[in-house]
Amino acid sequence: MRTRPLLIAPSILAADFARLGEEVRAIDRAGADYIHIDVMDGHFVPNISFGAPIMDSIRGLTKKPFDVHLMIAPADPHLESFARAGADIITVHAEACPHLDRTLQAVRAMGRKAGVSLNPATPASVLKHVLDRLDLILVMSVNPGFGGQSFIPAMLEKISEIRGMVGNRNIDIEVDGGITRHTAGDAVRAGANVLVAGSAIFKARDYAAEIRAIRAAATSVAV
Ligand code: DX5
Ligand code: ZN
């Protein structure tokens, strides 16, 4: 099985929004690989975060890829505005896309990488027939809507199952929710290679030290 690089994706949902630009520059300098952007609509998830104009306003501040996690339903009418605002990866929720295959084709047709996210209760099997349209699979390890929740251990089994399904395909497996230096190792051992972390990084005094600690915890496990 292919070994993929380990990537850390700080979620700006946990940033100080009054200083968002500085926060983005700070995580860039601190060693973030991706900038994880949580878009919430108050409908698919019980919270509202921000949309494409805010994303566009920070796009010029970093060259790091924008990893955009759309927690919105419907997603289809908004794909283009996120692509235009500088998304590199656009991840939709399987539960929010009745025509998932078509949605993934639309994302790739815009020249962006296509991702699918699964809520904790959604089985891995929904991915089975769209694997060849995917660049990334995002396993939610909390119920989406809020930062600062605890990692759901039952998601480790789902990550391993997905790792097996993916085989040698060129697909990243990302895990999102409750990732800290204490949970990162288990997630990577199960098969994840992209780790989203919101509160763990933004609540730390030293972002770079925290990113290093998560990376060290993740790389210390043998995969
Ligand atoms: C949850 C979001 C996550 C969240 C992670 O709905 O998708 O990306 O920001 O936050 P932490 O790391 O605090 O669990
Ligand atoms: Zn997210």
Side-chain angles (χ1 to χ4, degrees):
M1 205 169 285
R2 183 196 298 262
T3 314
R4 304 185 66 82
L6 178 84
L7 304 173
I8 307 291
S11 164
I12 60 167
L13 186 66
D16 176 355
F17 287 167
R19 301 169 35 254
L20 187 56
E22 279 170 58
E23 293 273 69
V24 169
R25 286 198 178 99
I27 47 168
D28 178 328
R29 277 197 307 270
D33 297 299
Y34 286 168
I35 312 295
H36 186 80
I37 303 203
D38 285 310
V39 180
M40 301 179 176
D41 67 353
H43 165 74
F44 178 67
V45 290
N47 198 10
I48 300 177
S49 57
F50 48 75
I54 300 280
M55 202 182 107
D56 188 42
S57 73
I58 54 171
R59 181 61 280 194
L61 305 179
T62 174
K63 292 196 167 37
K64 303 279 167 77
F66 273 14
D67 169 32
V68 180
H69 178 191
L70 296 181
M71 289 163 272
I72 64 174
D76 294 348
H78 304 285
L79 299 174
E80 201 168 322
S81 61
F82 285 99
R84 253 193 271 120
D88 295 279
I89 306 162
I90 299 182
T91 297
V92 297
H93 266 263
E95 306 85 357
C97 296
H99 306 291
L100 184 59
D101 182 90
R102 181 159 59 207
T103 303
L104 297 172
Q105 290 191 57
V107 171
R108 280 191 167 170
M110 291 168 197
R112 303 306 191 270
K113 290 188 171 170
V116 171
S117 181
L118 305 182
N119 284 336
T122 303
S125 57
V126 305
L127 302 169
K128 185 171 171 199
H129 302 288
V130 292
L131 285 172
D132 292 324
R133 301 215 188 278
L134 285 177
D135 300 294
L136 177 141
I137 296 166
L138 196 176
V139 178
M140 286 308 304
S141 42
V142 298
N143 289 289
F146 305 95
Q149 304 178 76
S150 301
F151 186 91
I152 300 172
M155 295 305 102
L156 294 172
E157 188 190 335
K158 180 152 67 173
I159 295 167
S160 320
E161 187 182 347
I162 291 172
R163 178 80 266 165
M165 288 169 74
V166 160
N168 276 326
R169 289 181 182 83
N170 192 20
I171 299 177
D172 284 317
I173 301 180
E174 182 172 40
V175 59
D176 184 2
I179 292 292
T180 65
R181 58 177 83 185
H182 307 294
T183 52
D186 286 344
V188 168
R189 199 178 296 108
N193 72 296
V194 185
L195 301 176
V196 176
S199 351
I201 293 171
F202 283 99
K203 290 215 182 328
R205 199 181 37 80
D206 181 340
Y207 298 170
E210 196 59 35
I211 289 175
R212 273 198 306 274
I214 294 171
R215 206 186 289 280
T219 46
S220 69
V221 303
V223 276

